[in-house]
Amino acid sequence: MNVLVFNCGSSSLKYRLIAMPAEEQLSGGEAQRIGPPTAKPSCLVLNRGAAGKETRVTPMRDHAEALQEVVHALRETPGATPDVIGHRLVNGGPTITEYSLVDDAVLAELIAQQDLAPLHNPPAIATIQACRHVFPGLPQVVISDTAFHRTIPDYARAYAIPHALSRELGIRKYGYHGISHQYVVTETARLMNVPLDQFRGVSCHLGSGGASLCAVVHGQSVDNTMGYSPLQGLIMSTRCGDLDPGVTLRFLAEARGDKVAVEERLNNRSGVLGLSGTSADIRDVLEAVAGDPASTRARVTADVYLWRLKKYLGAYLVLVGDAQAVIFTDTIGETVPEVREAVCSGMDVFGIAIDHERNIGADQLPADVATAGSRVRVWAVATNEEISIARSTYKAQCTS
Amino acid sequence: MHILTLQPTLRGLAFAAFTEGSDQPAVESRLTLNQFDRSTHLFPPDLFARMNETLRRAELPPPTAIGVHALYGGDRFATPVFASDDVLSELETLAPQAPLLVPNLVELTRSVRHTYRTAPVVLAFETAFFVNLPQCEQWYGLDLELMVSQAIRRFGYHGLFHEAACRAAARHRRLSAPRVLSLCLEPRPELAACQGRRPVMVTGGNTLIEGLPGETTCGDLDPSVVLKLAHDTHWGPEEASRVLTSESGLRGLLGRAVTLAEVLGSTGASLQLARDVFLHCVLRACGAGIAALEGVDAIVYSGRYAASGAAVQAWLGPRLARATRCDIPHLIHARTLSQHVRDVTRVLVLEDKGRTRQTAGH
């Protein structure tokens, strides 16, 4: 069965055609810079396997146009015919608890809840709608990032605000990055020969944009640093993460109640960018610190970023109790050993000892970078959200 | 030294009188102001007359020193200070940083100095303990220049309890600088992680709202939720602030007023969600604190509900032991806020007398 996977960003569309259950990739690529013109033109980057990558510059005003380009590219590959389509949805709301076959009722529900992830859900929904025209009759499945977190207990999900308000406005922790957390947790349990339902650990999805930690017990999510929205938790590239509610209200008062202006500030002008004043990428900041240790602002930025990460790791290690592994994944987690080392250093109290040499030499993933004596293993594992989506889509199709 | 301690509250003034040599207050009471008083004068003159009448009835001598509980002193006040004219003027400049706290405090202190002209008045700041919090803990993920210019940084608001808890832990563990998790069980609870007497992490924030959920305060909240509440309910920031400060926390979860002690002491199903939410937040905060300290030597429970620390410990202890593979010693340090303010006042006045004697000797 060929599963066509779509992973929609606000201005991008990744796709993979994967033969299941062999998990063999038949085709793949990414439409970039979809939408209004930017400094560089829209393009489709095709992954040609051993032949490398091919870039096609082509205008794509929206995700429907991007889909058309993807369809053209698929037709060029013999045998690249999808049997089912799987879509990533950043927030599936309370209704999409694992995965759902898309029918009119589900689509209407998704549209009604698209504000739960205003940057990501609308383009994903637009892609689903466009697929109905391009691939009529082909089943479509949505897999939500929030689904993996459906096992978070009520007491960890609740905010301490008036209960009636929470219920009326649908305010609760959803948690995010679930597809990635689920993938690396499953992968790490397999690498450690631990049955998934016995696995306990902390998964650290550290992207160059968003980032979250997930506490995992019995292979299931019991807490996630993101909350109702992807704004809460760790310090991210341009997102502030945790913030005193009093400060948010102060900003709102200063903006004379303009919610959008405050959202823009907290989502796009804060985090690493706000602290450093120069770059939204923690790698640039760490380089600046290494190049000029006297660079105070860069040092403060790095310290604040790493400190919050370390505190959350400690918080989740006690939630998990007797953890077997800490997992690092996504761009920063996989490729920046300095971050792994800074976060894991001084954590002997939790049974964590990172091996400096193994850590800096971990070019091939997955890699266990803990010392031989470390009770808790430390893994760097490459995430693969598309495979995770393909697995869930395949499962949904087989059980439907 | 007879010490009078004063604690301004939202609805009036709490006071306690300590006579020479006694650790327990001879009188402890609370004066409530009505709405009319509040609208005309923050601390009307007759308030002190009512307090003096209470002291007179108890046949207490006039105070020789007065300690005022001060919630906020910003970055400027890293220690307790005598409330001179200069100090009060300086404190007044901090009003924009804490508009609900500072004007009230300045008004009270001026009135006290006017009423008790011969007794030195000491300001015991809760935030003083946190002035030198490490930068990585102080700052939020916001524009750094903005935070510096607008004094947006993390403080803690139970510095007096935490400092005393650290001293108690050092005595108890016979260590000069133990790593302490100090859990202050007040209506607005707070956890601080301290190395010796130096805090390195605290759940409290820039305002009194952030941190562990309290009896009526929401504690940590996704910033998007704050914006959604203000927007969807058409509340302004002020009304949203009122709800998050006065109608949230344990009260919000349960739909009725409740004390933290009641929640922690009960095993009933009706309080279970509130209890579970609170304990979950405490557990996470402990883990963050242990990571910040890179270990832990003691847990200290303090605050007016310090006795409830036993219930917290019964739940928390095994969980922390499982994660760290060691049993962390704990102690319950049950002293009141007025006792802490009295201690701080006494020490400062005695130090000052010592300095004066030294100067005179020279």
Side-chain angles (χ1 to χ4, degrees), chain A residues 94-112:
Chain A
T95 43
I96 312 286
T97 51
E98 191 173 1
Y99 46 72
S100 279
L101 275 166
V102 178
D103 56 20
D104 289 343
V106 168
L107 191 57
E109 190 75 26
L110 296 180
I111 291 167

Side-chain angles (χ1 to χ4, degrees), chain A residues 220-234:
Chain A
Q220 298 181 329
S221 170
V222 294
D223 209 345
N224 181 250
T225 52
M226 286 179 165
Y228 171 77
S229 79
L231 184 54
Q232 193 177 4
L234 300 169

Side-chain angles (χ1 to χ4, degrees), chain A residues 156 160 162-163 169 200 223 228-229 232 240 244 250 259 270-271 274 297 307 310-311 315 318 322 346 375, chain B residues 136-137 141 143-145 150 200 206-207 210 218 222 224 228 231 247-249 252 280 283-284 288 294 322 325:
Chain A
H163 185 61
L169 300 177
R200 309 172 80 92
D223 209 345
Y228 171 77
S229 79
Q232 193 177 4
C240 62
D244 187 324
R250 178 172 164 177
K259 175 185 172 239
S270 298
R297 192 156 175 181
W307 181 254
K310 185 168 180 167
K311 284 200 303 178
V318 297
D322 214 7
R375 172 164 58 82
Chain B
C136 53
E137 177 68 3
D143 181 325
L144 191 58
E145 286 174 357
Q150 297 195 9
V200 297
N206 183 251
T207 73
E210 191 181 11
C218 62
D222 185 329
S224 297
K228 183 176 175 65
H231 182 263
E247 292 183 10
S248 297
H280 178 75
L283 181 62
R284 280 178 27 160
E294 300 185 348
R322 190 169 183 201
R325 300 224 171 151

Side-chain angles (χ1 to χ4, degrees), chain B residues 109-295:
Chain B
T109 311
R110 286 209 168 112
S111 302
V112 170
R113 290 183 76 213
H114 182 74
T115 307
Y116 302 97
R117 290 174 187 272
T118 56
V121 178
V122 171
L123 291 168
F125 294 103
E126 291 283 16
T127 49
F129 187 59
F130 297 103
V131 165
N132 295 315
L133 206 55
Q135 290 217 38
C136 53
E137 177 68 3
Q138 277 189 32
W139 301 122
Y140 294 99
L142 298 173
D143 181 325
L144 191 58
E145 286 174 357
L146 175 92
M147 289 192 285
V148 171
S149 67
Q150 297 195 9
I152 297 173
R153 52 153 288 185
R154 185 184 297 282
F155 279 106
Y157 285 90
H158 287 305
L160 299 176
F161 280 109
H162 294 308
E163 192 166 10
C166 290
R167 277 198 300 268
R171 284 194 301 272
H172 181 74
R173 294 301 319 269
R174 297 184 181 178
L175 293 168
S176 60
R179 294 164 298 181
V180 179
L181 293 179
S182 167
L183 179 56
C184 178
L185 295 169
E186 281 280 298
R188 275 192 302 262
E190 183 174 274
L191 183 132
C194 311
Q195 173 94 52
R197 290 186 206 169
R198 189 175 64 90
V200 297
M201 170 262 171
V202 65
T203 54
N206 183 251
T207 73
L208 295 162
I209 308 179
E210 191 181 11
L212 301 171
E215 289 180 354
T216 61
T217 48
C218 62
D220 298 336
L221 204 54
D222 185 329
S224 297
V225 169
V226 179
L227 296 174
K228 183 176 175 65
L229 283 176
H231 182 263
D232 289 13
T233 57
H234 304 292
W235 293 338
E238 280 185 19
E239 177 62 5
S241 176
R242 190 191 65 75
V243 171
L244 296 180
T245 306
S246 306
E247 292 183 10
S248 297
L250 305 176
R251 178 186 182 147
L253 289 165
L254 294 170
R256 69 172 175 88
V258 67
T259 66
L260 181 59
E262 192 183 338
V263 167
L264 293 175
S266 161
T267 52
S270 64
L271 300 183
Q272 188 169 344
L273 179 65
R275 191 168 53 247
D276 289 350
V277 168
F278 180 76
L279 290 173
H280 178 75
C281 292
V282 169
L283 181 62
R284 280 178 27 160
C286 285
I290 293 171
L293 291 167
E294 300 185 348

Side-chain angles (χ1 to χ4, degrees), chain B residues 16-19 22 24-28 58 60:
Chain B
F18 295 82
T19 52
S22 174
Q24 296 299 322
V27 168
E28 196 160 24
L60 292 171

